[in-house]
Amino acid sequence: RKEVEQDPGPFNVPEGATVAFNCTYSNSASQSFFWYRQDCRKEPKLLMSVYSSGNEDGRFTAQLNRASQYISLLIRDSKLSDSATYLCVVNILGNTPLVFGKGTRLSVIA
Amino acid sequence: DAGVTQSPTHLIKTRGQQVTLRCSPKSGHDTVSWYQQALGQGPQFIFQYYEEEERQRGNFPDRFSGHQFPNYSSELNVNALLLGDSALYLCASSKRTGWSTEAFFGQGTRLTVV
């Protein structure tokens, strides 16, 4: 079983749609959780951290369920500029390596 | 404030050759991690350097080695290149603490082995 598993993509959605990405992780000792965004042929960039209480940043909402070892990302009112690959990332402790999922590609269509 | 910089941006090598990739961390960061990202995959951890020593290593063969210099910059060396080493190599820098802190990535070096 992979350490971090994500929904297989790609997701093709119209502008204005709401889209949800899911992710599961296998190591129950994991402490920190993130969503990174990666544009085509670019480096990953932190989109948002994920907290147990859930957190929101504008149109983006991230949630964590430690009991189920499940992380989600919800994007509301999708924009063309949201088209990218979204990587689910898990970290055990601050100095341990980031563990990435395979990524889910999102294409927002006009 | 310069972010993480990597060089070169692109590289083409022949099987069996050796390659050195370079990374300068973000100002104030002391830890450098290297990742390999094959096409269509997420980044895979190669190793991490702190205080000029390799602190952690992922599941990569000894052909992959590295170094960190006193100014925190780092090199990744790959010997006896294989076609399968073709990938985007990413350097991430962070500040070493006991808690999770944001890792900043460089733009990567795209290595093609022919």
Side-chain angles (χ1 to χ4, degrees), chain A residues 17-21 59-60 73-78 82 86 106:
Chain A
T18 295
V19 61
F21 300 138
R59 297 181 293 108
F60 298 82
L73 176 68
L74 185 77
I75 305 176
R76 291 181 298 278
D77 188 23
S78 299
D82 293 334
Y86 290 83
L106 171 67

Side-chain angles (χ1 to χ4, degrees), chain B residues 4-52:
Chain B
V4 182
T5 58
Q6 291 186 242
S7 62
T9 55
H10 296 82
L11 202 52
I12 300 175
K13 289 285 191 177
T14 304
R15 273 181 300 175
Q17 284 189 314
Q18 178 264 345
V19 68
T20 297
L21 311 181
R22 295 177 176 83
C23 172
S24 293
K26 183 177 168 64
S27 177
H29 286 184
D30 54 12
T31 301
V32 173
S33 301
W34 287 92
Y35 293 80
Q36 179 195 67
Q37 187 175 24
L39 199 61
Q41 303 294 318
Q44 297 293 310
F45 175 71
I46 303 174
F47 42 53
Q48 182 186 83
Y49 277 84
Y50 171 69
E51 289 188 336
E52 302 177 50

Side-chain angles (χ1 to χ4, degrees), chain A residues 47-93:
Chain A
L47 177 66
M48 57 197 304
S49 300
V50 188
Y51 304 114
S52 296
S53 54
N55 48 300
E56 187 174 308
D57 182 4
R59 297 181 293 108
F60 298 82
T61 300
Q63 296 211 311
L64 167 66
N65 184 321
R66 285 186 185 270
S68 302
Q69 296 181 201
Y70 169 91
I71 307 161
S72 66
L73 176 68
L74 185 77
I75 305 176
R76 291 181 298 278
D77 188 23
S78 299
K79 311 290 184 191
L80 294 176
S81 58
D82 293 334
S83 298
T85 294
Y86 290 83
L87 296 157
C88 177
V89 185
V90 168
N91 183 224
I92 298 174
L93 290 173

